[in-house]
Amino acid sequence: MEMKCPKCGAARTQEASECISCGIIFEKYLKASLRKESDTSMDVEEENEPVNYFDIARELLFYVKQEPDHTFLIIRAVFFLFMIFLGIRFIFSSLTDEYLMNTFWHLVNLPFHEAGHIFFRLFGRFVTSLGGTLGQLLMPLICMGTFIIKTRDTFAASFCLWWLGQNFIDISPYINDSRSLSMPLLGGNTGMDSPYGFHDWEFILKESGLIRYDHAIALLSLNTGKFLIILSLIWAGYLLLKQYRSTAT
C-alpha cells in the first residue's frame, strides 16, 4: 500500500521513520498534530461555554481580601456598628419626621444635589429640576461601582449602598411637600413663597401630571431607602463574617 508524507505528500514506505523529501520525523510530526488538534478542540469548547454571570456577580460583590491580622476587621466592625446605629434611626422614621431634613447626611447630600442641577442643565428645564435628585443618587452609585470594580473594596461598597438608601430617604420629605409647599428650601423661602419651578418636585410632578401621587411617590422613595439600608447591613455583615473566617484560617 502506497503511503505519503503527511506534510509534503512525497511517497514513503511503511517502515520509513522520516521523509526523504522534507526531512520530518513522522512520529514527532504526528504527535505535534494531535496536540494541536486537542488544543484547538479545547479552545472551541471554552468559546462555546456560556458565561456564568451569577458567578461573576458573586465574585465581584462578595470578594474579601485576606488580611494578615484582625486590625482592619476591627476597624470595619466598629464602622459597621455606626452604620447600624444611624440606619435604625432612618429605618424607623416617617415622612413627617423633621429629623430627616436636619441630619449631618442631609448636608453631605446637598452639594451633590445642587451640582446635579448644574450638570443636567444642558438637557432642558425638566431634567434640570430632576437633576438635583439624580445628582445625589448617582454619587453613591458611582462610588459603589468604583469600590467594587476598581479598588475591590466590597465593604466600602456596602456603605455606598447604605448611603444610596439614605439619599432615597432624604428626598422623600421633599417629594411629600410637592403640594403643601411648606418646607423651607435653600435660602430660607418655602415653595409657596417661591416662583414656580424653584421647588423641584412640585415642578417635576406637575409637569409630568403626577402631582396627585406625591404622597405615594414619597412613601415609595422612603421605603426604597429603608430597604436599601437593610440590604446594605446584611451585605456588610456577611462580608465581615467572611473576612473573620478567612483571617482566622
Side-chain angles (χ1 to χ4, degrees):
M1 181 179 179
E2 184 181 1
M3 300 181 67
K4 293 183 178 182
C5 172
K7 182 178 180 181
C8 66
R12 70 181 179 92
T13 62
Q14 187 172 2
E15 297 80 9
S17 60
E18 62 180 280
C19 178
I20 59 173
S21 178
C22 64
I24 66 165
I25 307 298
F26 296 130
E27 185 177 358
K28 291 183 178 180
Y29 185 84
L30 181 60
K31 287 181 179 180
S33 298
L34 291 174
R35 186 165 56 250
K36 184 177 180 181
E37 289 178 5
S38 177
D39 293 342
T40 303
S41 177
M42 290 177 64
D43 291 340
V44 171
E45 288 180 3
E46 289 178 359
E47 289 177 1
N48 294 333
E49 186 178 348
V51 178
N52 193 327
Y53 292 104
F54 177 79
D55 288 342
I56 294 174
R58 183 173 58 184
E59 173 63 23
L60 286 173
L61 296 177
F62 301 115
Y63 170 80
V64 171
K65 183 180 179 181
Q66 191 166 3
E67 304 288 351
D69 53 47
H70 289 92
T71 304
F72 286 102
L73 176 64
I74 294 171
I75 294 173
R76 287 170 177 159
V78 172
F79 193 81
F80 178 59
L81 293 176
F82 172 74
M83 290 170 62
I84 293 175
F85 176 75
L86 289 181
I88 289 175
R89 185 66 179 86
F90 285 120
I91 289 169
F92 288 100
S93 296
S94 65
L95 282 171
T96 57
D97 195 335
E98 294 184 0
Y99 171 78
L100 297 183
M101 302 300 295
N102 295 287
T103 66
F104 165 77
W105 289 104
H106 180 67
L107 298 178
V108 171
N109 299 329
L110 188 58
F112 300 116
H113 180 98
E114 297 305 320
H117 286 311
I118 298 172
F119 181 82
F120 288 100
R121 185 171 292 175
L122 297 172
F123 302 99
R125 189 178 180 187
F126 183 85
V127 180
T128 299
S129 294
L130 187 60
T133 297
L134 292 177
Q136 68 180 95
L137 293 179
L138 284 173
M139 185 51 59
L141 280 172
I142 292 171
C143 292
M144 182 167 63
T146 302
F147 283 125
I148 290 174
I149 298 172
K150 188 173 181 62
T151 65
R152 303 301 303 276
D153 189 341
T154 49
F155 183 80
S158 71
F159 172 70
C160 291
L161 182 63
W162 185 99
W163 183 21
L164 176 64
Q166 193 281 323
N167 269 284
F168 271 103
I169 293 174
D170 187 67
I171 64 176
S172 60
Y174 196 14
I175 301 172
N176 201 52
D177 186 62
S178 297
R179 277 185 287 180
S180 62
L181 302 176
S182 58
M183 178 184 294
L185 304 177
L186 192 65
N189 296 331
T190 64
M192 193 173 296
D193 301 327
S194 304
Y196 179 63
F198 193 81
H199 190 294
D200 295 345
W201 278 95
E202 178 202 16
F203 182 80
I204 293 167
L205 295 181
K206 279 188 175 180
E207 293 297 310
S208 60
L210 299 172
I211 191 66
R212 74 182 80 132
Y213 303 112
D214 58 343
H215 299 319
I217 296 172
L219 187 61
L220 176 63
S221 179
L222 179 70
N223 289 332
T224 298
K226 292 179 179 182
F227 172 76
L228 292 177
I229 285 179
I230 293 171
L231 189 63
S232 72
L233 295 177
I234 295 172
W235 185 12
Y238 174 77
L239 292 172
L240 288 177
L241 178 61
K242 188 176 180 182
Q243 186 181 5
Y244 170 77
R245 288 175 174 172
S246 67
T247 306
T249 56

